Amino acid sequence: MDIDKAIKKLTEDIRKVSCSPRLDSEILIMKALNVSRSYLYTHKDKSINMKQKKLLDALLKRRMQNEPIAYIIGKQSFWNDDFKVTKDTLIPRPETELIIENIIKYFPKKNTKLRFADLGTGSGCIIISLLQEYINATGVGIDISEQAIKIATTNKKLLSKPERLDFTINDFSNFSLNEFDIIVANPPYVNIEDNNLDRNVYEHEPHLALFAKKNGLSAYEIIINNAVTIKSNNLYLFLEIGINQANSVSKLLKNNNFKVISIENDFLLKSV
């Protein structure tokens, strides 16, 4: 079987489990053959040998079991870098980049010596991307998962000056947020009783990073209750929230003397 026929076959197979079957098929073939996408288009008639086919079949089997492409190939693009991901970390998503966009909007001077804290850092994609933008900034990423911190520490190598960033195993409630200028968080916010998630997500991504009690609000309560103890009047919180949570999270913030500057919809909501 040549590359062109393999792409067509995999596309039809993967269509059953994916909304982007052509893209998925190309990525799997690139992985199995260890080639670039341009190679696929310039070598359509190139035959796939038995060793490559065996590997491709194994990759396809994983995808047909609803395993996300990012876990199969071990990485996911976010902002300006490719981040290592495993089943111990959430897969970075384009809508999360909105956090970085808004921080840049409110803090346009990128040479400022800001101090960031990333709560529930996962793969470290948010804080690493921020430190790539703010070259004089420093930061700490915390996560309760030891395995997630290991992955984040690996991704730390993306930084030209990795000593600007520390990762630590801890939770939201007892980690001191003093001396930070900006707190960012993409915490678990899916209602723990919600069983309507896409199978790709529910069956493979870490539930610890997905689900929260109190209708998905418990992590926000912990973060805000911790942040309110900080003495500084110049603390900024940038939080990713779920659909229909804006009013509830805003109420939590206002009840704790925070001012809600802005609530931004991600591009998916804007397109509806």
Side-chain angles (χ1 to χ4, degrees), residues 199-213:
R199 289 183 63 187
N200 292 262
V201 177
Y202 185 83
E203 295 179 1
H204 295 279
E205 298 200 50
H207 287 196
L208 183 65
L210 286 170
F211 294 103
K213 298 177 181 179

Side-chain angles (χ1 to χ4, degrees), residues 42-55:
T42 56
H43 295 77
K44 291 183 177 181
D45 298 329
K46 181 75 173 180
S47 295
I48 295 176
N49 62 42
M50 289 303 297
K51 182 178 179 180
Q52 292 168 334
K53 184 180 183 304
K54 185 176 180 180
L55 176 56

Side-chain angles (χ1 to χ4, degrees), residues 114-155:
L114 295 169
R115 176 89 168 147
F116 293 98
D118 181 15
L119 309 183
T121 193
S123 65
C125 63
I126 297 176
I127 195 162
I128 290 171
S129 297
L130 285 169
L131 294 189
Q132 295 281 50
E133 295 290 332
Y134 294 90
I135 57 175
N136 293 321
T138 59
V140 175
I142 76 165
D143 203 292
I144 199 171
S145 167
E146 180 179 357
Q147 294 304 314
I149 290 296
K150 288 181 180 179
I151 299 302
T153 301
T154 298
N155 287 324

Side-chain angles (χ1 to χ4, degrees), residues 223-242:
I223 291 170
I224 293 168
N225 288 337
N226 189 359
V228 78
T229 64
I230 298 174
K231 298 177 182 179
S232 172
N233 293 321
N234 297 314
L235 176 70
Y236 287 80
L237 296 179
F238 288 83
L239 307 172
E240 178 166 328
I241 60 176

Side-chain angles (χ1 to χ4, degrees), residues 62 67-78 82-93 121-125 147-148 151-152 154-155 205-206:
R62 292 172 64 180
E67 184 174 353
I69 284 289
Y71 290 151
I72 295 174
I73 65 173
K75 64 181 180 179
Q76 176 67 26
S77 295
F78 182 85
D82 287 336
F83 289 85
K84 179 179 179 179
V85 293
T86 70
K87 291 185 178 182
D88 296 301
T89 66
L90 286 182
I91 297 171
R93 289 166 168 78
T121 193
S123 65
C125 63
Q147 294 304 314
I151 299 302
T154 298
N155 287 324
E205 298 200 50

Side-chain angles (χ1 to χ4, degrees), residues 151-216:
I151 299 302
T153 301
T154 298
N155 287 324
K156 179 179 172 179
K157 297 173 184 177
L158 292 167
L159 287 171
S160 58
K161 295 181 179 179
E163 65 273 10
R164 293 187 292 136
L165 175 60
D166 292 316
F167 287 111
T168 183
I169 303 168
N170 215 315
D171 61 32
F172 300 151
S173 59
N174 59 16
F175 182 78
S176 175
L177 297 177
N178 283 308
E179 299 181 4
F180 290 101
D181 303 299
I182 297 174
I183 311 298
V184 299
N186 178 20
Y189 56 71
V190 179
N191 186 344
I192 199 167
E193 297 178 358
D194 185 354
N195 56 4
N196 295 317
L197 283 182
D198 183 277
R199 289 183 63 187
N200 292 262
V201 177
Y202 185 83
E203 295 179 1
H204 295 279
E205 298 200 50
H207 287 196
L208 183 65
L210 286 170
F211 294 103
K213 298 177 181 179
K214 297 184 179 181
N215 294 319

